[in-house]
Amino acid sequence: MARLSSCIGYFFVFVILQSFRASAISSAQETASGALFIFGDSSVDVGNNNYITTIPENQADVKPYGQNGFFEGPTGRFSDGRVIVDFIADYANLPLISPFLQPSADHTHGANFASAGGGVLPETNQGLVIDLPTQLKNFEEVQKSLTEKLGEAQATELISEAVYFISIGSNDYLGGYLGNPKMQETYIPEVYVGMVIGCLPVLRAMNPKASESGCFEAGSSLALAHNNALKAILTSLEYILKGFKYCNSNFYNWLDDRIKNPSKYGFKDGVNACCGSGPYGGLLTCGGNKKVTEFQLCNNADEHVWWDSFHPTERIHEQFAKALWNGSPFSVGPYNLEDLFFNKEKLTIADIVDAPDGEHFQ
C-alpha cells in the first residue's frame, strides 16, 4: 500500500504542503522511521544559508544566535539554541539532521533543505535564498545519491518510509505580498493565498496602534485564509493519494494563547522579542550585522516567547515539538508525529472521547 507520511507544522502559521508520491509496505512494528526530510524557511533552517551568498537578514551565523550552550556557537539556526526539527529528530531516535549544503553530510537519516527567507514562490527573495522548487530539486539529488550508496531497493524503502516536515510560506506573505504594493494591486488576498501569517514582533511594530493583545490585522487575516485553504487541500490529498498520511495542527491558536497568557506556560513576556531593537524588539537588528548594528538582548531568553523580531525562542520550539509529537486528536490530526514515525493507525472516536484531561490542544 502506498504511504506518504508528512507533518505540516503550521510554524508561524505560514505553512504549505507540496506533496510527492512514495510507496511503502505498512508495518505495525514499534520501530521509528529511518529518515526525516525537512523543507522550509528560517523556522527550520539549520545552516543552509551559511553556504550561499545572501543578505545578513537571512543568516544567523553570528552571536547571540545559538547562545544557550547546546551548540558551541551560532549554527545558522534562528533561535537561541535548537529549532523544532532538532527536537523531533531526538524524539524519533535520529541524529540531528544536517543541512543539505553542509560538505560531506550523511543523508542516510534524512536531510534539511530549508533556507531562511525562502518561499513557496520562486519570486520571493529571488536570487538570495533557496526557494521551495529548488529545495525539491535538491531532494531529488539526495534521492539519487542514496540510490547509488544503498542500492535502489533500500533507497526506495528509506525514501518512501521517511517522514517529511514542511514549514514554509511566511516570506511569500510578509515580503512577497504585505511588503509588495504591486502584488496587492494585482491579486486580491484570496487569489494570492491560492497561489501559495500573524502576531510577530515585527508585525506589531508595523501596527503602532495595536495594543499588547492586538496584531497586524492584514497578516492575521492572510494566516487564517491560508490555514483554511490548506485544510481543504490536505483532506483532498487523503483521497487522491492512497496511503497518504499527515499531521496538521492549529499553531495559530496555540501560539496566540502563549502570547496572551505567557505565565500559563512558564513565560514572563509573550510580546517583546528577547533580541532586537525598537518597539517590541520588532526591528531585526539581532546580531549587529545588519544596517543598524545596535541591538538589545534580554537577560533570560527562556522567559520570552519571541527570540528575535520573527522567530521564537528554543522553549517555544520545544513546546510545539512536544505538541506535534504526541498531542491528542484535539491538538494534532489526523495523526501526530509519533504515529507517523512509528507507523501507528489513526485514532478512533473512542480514543478521542477517552483522551485524558490536559491533552487537548491549547
Side-chain angles (χ1 to χ4, degrees):
M1 178 178 71
R3 178 174 72 88
L4 174 63
S5 296
S6 301
C7 183
I8 301 88
Y10 268 61
F11 218 62
F12 301 141
V13 243
F14 315 144
V15 183
I16 193 166
L17 171 68
Q18 295 289 326
S19 177
F20 37 88
R21 288 182 181 271
S23 61
I25 300 173
S26 77
S27 169
Q29 294 179 349
E30 290 292 306
T31 55
S33 181
L36 172 63
F37 292 98
I38 301 148
F39 304 84
D41 51 27
S42 58
S43 59
V44 288
D45 186 354
V46 296
N48 278 309
N49 277 18
N50 295 348
Y51 302 98
I52 67 172
T53 300
T54 186
I55 56 177
E57 286 78 4
N58 292 337
Q59 292 180 309
D61 56 350
V62 295
K63 295 180 179 180
Y65 288 95
Q67 69 165 11
N68 71 5
F70 184 86
F71 300 106
E72 293 182 359
T75 62
R77 291 166 171 82
F78 284 79
S79 165
D80 55 311
R82 289 164 288 181
V83 294
I84 187 169
V85 290
D86 297 321
F87 292 103
I88 290 168
D90 181 49
Y91 301 158
N93 299 319
L94 295 172
L96 291 176
I97 305 301
S98 302
F100 167 73
L101 292 179
Q102 178 178 306
S104 303
D106 180 6
H107 298 312
T108 53
H109 292 290
N112 187 319
F113 304 96
S115 172
V120 175
L121 304 177
E123 295 81 5
T124 299
N125 293 324
Q126 194 166 28
L128 298 172
V129 298
I130 309 167
D131 56 53
L132 185 58
T134 304
Q135 292 181 34
L136 293 171
K137 290 179 182 178
N138 291 340
F139 169 75
E140 292 175 357
E141 283 189 34
V142 169
Q143 190 173 14
K144 182 179 179 181
S145 67
L146 288 172
T147 300
E148 294 173 351
K149 180 178 180 179
L150 304 175
E152 186 172 355
Q154 189 175 347
T156 298
E157 182 179 8
L158 184 150
I159 292 293
S160 61
E161 292 185 348
V163 170
Y164 298 82
F165 191 98
I166 301 116
S167 176
I168 198 166
S170 62
N171 299 298
D172 296 294
Y173 292 115
L174 279 172
Y177 192 76
L178 294 175
N180 190 332
K182 185 177 180 180
M183 292 296 286
Q184 294 180 49
E185 292 175 5
T186 306
Y187 302 102
I188 61 173
E190 292 80 4
V191 171
Y192 192 80
V193 169
M195 293 170 60
V196 179
I197 36 166
C199 297
L200 305 172
V202 66
L203 290 180
R204 290 182 182 275
M206 292 168 61
N207 188 27
K209 295 182 180 179
S211 64
E212 288 207 348
S213 60
C215 301
F216 185 46
E217 186 175 350
S220 299
S221 298
L222 279 174
L224 293 173
H226 176 100
N227 293 348
N228 290 333
L230 181 59
K231 289 178 184 177
I233 291 172
L234 292 172
T235 301
S236 298
L237 285 176
E238 274 197 288
Y239 292 97
I240 295 171
L241 301 176
K242 186 179 180 182
F244 174 76
K245 295 181 179 180
Y246 68 93
C247 77
N248 196 7
S249 66
N250 189 347
F251 184 64
Y252 185 92
N253 290 342
W254 185 94
L255 183 60
D256 186 57
D257 196 25
R258 281 156 178 77
I259 291 171
K260 294 178 179 177
N261 306 290
S263 61
K264 184 177 176 182
Y265 303 97
F267 300 97
K268 291 185 177 181
D269 193 326
V271 174
N272 298 287
C274 173
C275 185
S277 60
Y280 306 104
L283 299 181
L284 185 58
T285 56
C286 187
N289 61 334
K290 288 96 175 164
K291 291 180 180 179
V292 178
T293 58
E294 294 182 359
F295 64 93
Q296 288 78 49
L297 181 65
C298 71
N299 293 326
N300 187 355
D302 285 345
E303 296 177 349
H304 287 252
V305 168
W306 298 105
W307 164 246
D308 67 14
S309 309
F310 291 92
H311 309 98
T313 55
E314 182 189 81
R315 283 195 69 200
I316 285 289
H317 281 276
E318 182 178 17
Q319 287 186 11
F320 192 48
K322 288 178 179 177
L324 287 178
W325 181 255
N326 57 11
S328 75
F330 289 101
S331 63
V332 180
Y335 298 86
N336 60 36
L337 271 172
E338 187 177 29
D339 297 335
L340 298 184
F341 275 100
F342 289 92
N343 262 339
K344 294 181 179 179
E345 291 305 313
K346 193 184 303 185
L347 296 180
T348 65
I349 293 296
D351 294 322
I352 297 175
V353 172
D354 294 338
D357 291 339
E359 283 192 7
H360 298 178
F361 201 68
Q362 306 188 63

